[in-house]
Amino acid sequence: MDFSNIFVIFFICGVLFHFLLDFLLEFVDFSFRKKHGHEIPDAVKDFVDAETINKTCLYEDAKYRLWIPNAVLDLLLDFYLAVSGFYPVVLQNVLSWTENTFVAALLFFLIISIPGAIISIPFALYSEFGIEKHFGFSKMTMGLWITDQIKAILLSLVITSILLGAMIGLFKYATDFWWIFLGIVYVAFSLIISIVYPLFIAPLFNKFTPLEDGELKTRLEALLQKCGFKASGLFVMDASKRSGHSNAYFTGFGKSKRVVLYDTLIQQLTTDEIEAVLGHELGHYKHHHIIKRMCVMIPLIFVVLFVVNCLVRLPELYNGFGFGTNGIISYKMFFIGIFLTGLVFSGYSRIQGVIANFFSRRDEFQADAFSAKICGSGEPLISALIKLNKENLSEIQVPKIYSAFNYNHPPLLERISAISK
């Protein structure tokens, strides 16, 4: 590794920036929790007691203590893999095994993911069977956990192979304009996944059954009709099979759109509250938040790919990390260039994240306001949010800087205040 190389300098600064920022944010939240975490704000005093508050603090502290060694090991691993020459050695080996660029790229990405996966396993296990079990959330068995991991790996392998195959083909047959066609392929593939996901992918992990006839179904169908939202059905997901956490969401695109309610949500909330939660989700639909986000993201994808196209043609990018090029960059090396571009700039993702969170929270406030309007009152949504916050042992109060970087939804008290107004 050439430490005077501009891309190496960007990489080192990015990794340190990401780690130090996260470390500072988590410490600020931990300190704030120690000082204010046991307070019960007036807005939630009718729903939350001291026992729940104490349990929430213990839950968050447990996650914080697990995060520290995980973050430190990730930092050390990132530096070691880059400095030790691990990546060039892996590439050299896979190229000695095959001359097929697609196979070489697939093997390269598989092998370099192994060290991180190995380190993450004990932390994932302790999080699931230590922390989540201890606080009454996880219903997972070891067999189910392993099965889920295998399914996720195979699914990731299939998706990666499809996109990687398209990318390698474009490198070869559209060398100068691959980034344009790859952007088109990525957008189209994302739309296809949004259609396929609820029908074929999600059922691999959970069971979805139509919502039973009754008052809840009648109320929700009436709300959907009132908002002009056409869905393929209302479904209940067996979330309790794995966890006690609860949620509700829309999924799919076009005729595959469906409303999904966690079975835990139905157990925890009243009909009025579930209707308010669905009203919030419909608020995103009525305000065209997804379409507006796509109108921003699609051009941004092409801008990013254009910048990547410029970077992958620079010998300095490869030479700095030990990939000798002799000044000549073949299209067969472009996949390494894309990997190195991600490696160099991934440490700065927090900057993009805080901007995305700002606009996401704005959308959430609008969706909350729509729910209050369409349901005739904001009280059911407020009580639903408090109950969900309580049942999930989420922090009631957090520092503003922490929520800015880590929350794509507004903190509970801010949402209650906005809905009340």
Side-chain angles (χ1 to χ4, degrees):
M1 176 180 277
D2 180 5
F3 290 98
S4 64
N5 182 281
I6 184 63
F7 292 106
V8 173
I9 293 173
F10 262 94
F11 162 72
I12 294 173
C13 292
V15 171
L16 289 176
F17 168 75
H18 192 282
F19 173 78
L20 293 175
L21 177 61
D22 278 359
F23 195 89
L24 175 63
L25 290 171
E26 293 297 332
F27 179 74
V28 167
D29 184 49
F30 173 75
S31 301
F32 184 89
R33 187 164 58 249
K34 287 297 181 185
K35 186 175 182 180
H36 301 286
H38 294 275
E39 299 172 359
I40 303 179
D42 291 339
V44 300
K45 64 182 180 180
D46 293 334
F47 296 87
V48 179
D49 55 23
E51 182 181 356
T52 301
I53 287 288
N54 293 336
K55 190 175 181 180
T56 299
C57 291
L58 292 173
Y59 179 54
E60 293 296 331
D61 288 347
K63 292 193 293 183
Y64 174 62
R65 286 191 294 269
L66 181 65
W67 176 87
I68 294 174
N70 194 358
V72 171
L73 282 177
D74 283 343
L75 173 70
L76 295 176
L77 181 65
D78 288 344
F79 272 123
Y80 175 77
L81 294 181
V83 173
S84 67
F86 173 76
Y87 299 124
V89 169
V90 171
L91 179 64
Q92 184 179 359
N93 278 282
V94 298
L95 290 178
S96 69
W97 299 337
T98 178
E99 295 182 357
N100 186 295
T101 307
F102 167 72
V103 176
L106 186 60
L107 288 173
F108 176 80
F109 286 115
L110 281 175
I111 293 172
I112 65 172
S113 68
I114 291 175
I118 292 174
I119 282 184
S120 69
I121 288 174
F123 292 101
L125 286 171
Y126 184 76
S127 175
E128 187 67 47
F129 296 100
I131 297 176
E132 296 296 314
K133 283 277 188 186
H134 177 74
F135 286 93
F137 290 122
S138 178
K139 308 297 190 299
M140 191 80 74
T141 64
M142 182 59 72
L144 183 58
W145 187 87
I146 293 174
T147 301
D148 279 354
Q149 300 305 310
I150 293 173
K151 289 179 182 177
I153 291 171
L154 293 176
L155 183 62
S156 177
L157 184 61
V158 170
I159 293 175
T160 300
S161 298
I162 294 172
L163 292 176
L164 192 59
M167 186 170 66
I168 298 298
L170 291 172
F171 289 161
K172 182 176 181 179
Y173 298 107
T175 308
D176 294 330
F177 302 102
W178 65 266
W179 59 277
I180 297 176
F181 294 108
L182 184 61
I184 295 172
V185 168
Y186 181 80
V187 172
F189 187 76
S190 299
L191 291 176
I192 292 172
I193 287 293
S194 68
I195 296 173
V196 171
Y197 176 81
L199 301 177
F200 301 104
I201 298 178
L204 293 174
F205 298 91
N206 290 99
K207 183 179 179 181
F208 296 83
T209 56
L211 181 63
E212 294 181 355
D213 292 337
E215 181 188 4
L216 178 60
K217 183 177 181 179
T218 301
R219 294 268 296 272
L220 297 187
E221 286 180 338
L223 185 62
L224 291 174
Q225 186 175 9
K226 185 177 182 180
C227 295
F229 185 89
K230 296 181 180 180
S232 61
L234 295 162
F235 293 86
V236 179
M237 189 182 88
D238 62 339
S240 59
K241 180 180 178 181
R242 289 173 172 80
S243 173
H245 292 295
S246 53
N247 199 2
Y249 64 90
F250 289 143
T251 186
F253 184 79
K255 292 184 179 180
S256 70
K257 286 190 299 188
R258 55 173 59 182
V259 178
V260 177
L261 307 173
Y262 284 23
D263 55 357
T264 49
L265 184 85
I266 296 175
Q267 296 166 7
Q268 294 167 1
L269 303 185
T270 66
T271 299
D272 286 344
E273 291 165 346
I274 295 174
E275 183 183 44
V277 170
L278 180 59
H280 168 91
E281 298 300 330
L282 287 167
H284 290 303
Y285 164 73
K286 295 298 287 187
H287 284 288
H288 309 293
H289 289 155
I290 295 176
I291 295 176
K292 290 177 181 177
R293 196 167 299 177
M294 289 175 65
C295 290
V296 174
M297 292 304 300
I298 290 176
L300 189 59
I301 288 170
F302 286 95
V303 171
V304 170
L305 286 174
F306 171 74
V307 173
V308 172
N309 175 59
C310 296
L311 293 175
V312 299
R313 300 176 187 274
L314 299 177
E316 294 82 4
L317 177 64
Y318 304 85
N319 296 335
F321 292 89
F323 294 92
T325 63
N326 297 321
I328 301 175
I329 309 298
S330 166
Y331 76 86
K332 294 182 179 181
M333 287 290 289
F334 280 5
F335 74 90
I336 294 295
I338 289 179
F339 161 70
L340 291 176
T341 301
L343 186 71
V344 169
F345 295 103
S346 61
Y348 304 95
S349 61
R350 279 300 215 162
I351 298 174
Q352 175 269 332
V354 73
I355 297 172
N357 286 345
F358 172 81
F359 289 103
S360 176
R361 288 196 301 271
R362 183 196 63 181
D363 291 347
E364 295 301 324
F365 281 129
Q366 288 184 341
D368 284 348
F370 179 84
S371 175
K373 180 180 179 180
I374 200 70
C375 294
S377 170
E379 290 305 315
L381 182 60
I382 289 176
S383 61
L385 292 173
I386 295 174
K387 285 183 180 180
L388 291 175
N389 197 91
K390 174 184 176 182
E391 295 296 334
N392 290 310
L393 294 183
S394 300
E395 291 183 281
I396 295 176
Q397 302 181 83
V398 293
K400 287 187 177 296
I401 188 172
Y402 185 82
S403 66
F405 279 93
N406 291 282
Y407 281 36
N408 56 15
H409 283 54
L412 177 63
L413 295 183
E414 291 184 23
R415 295 181 73 174
I416 293 174
S417 176
I419 296 169
S420 298
K421 293 177 182 177

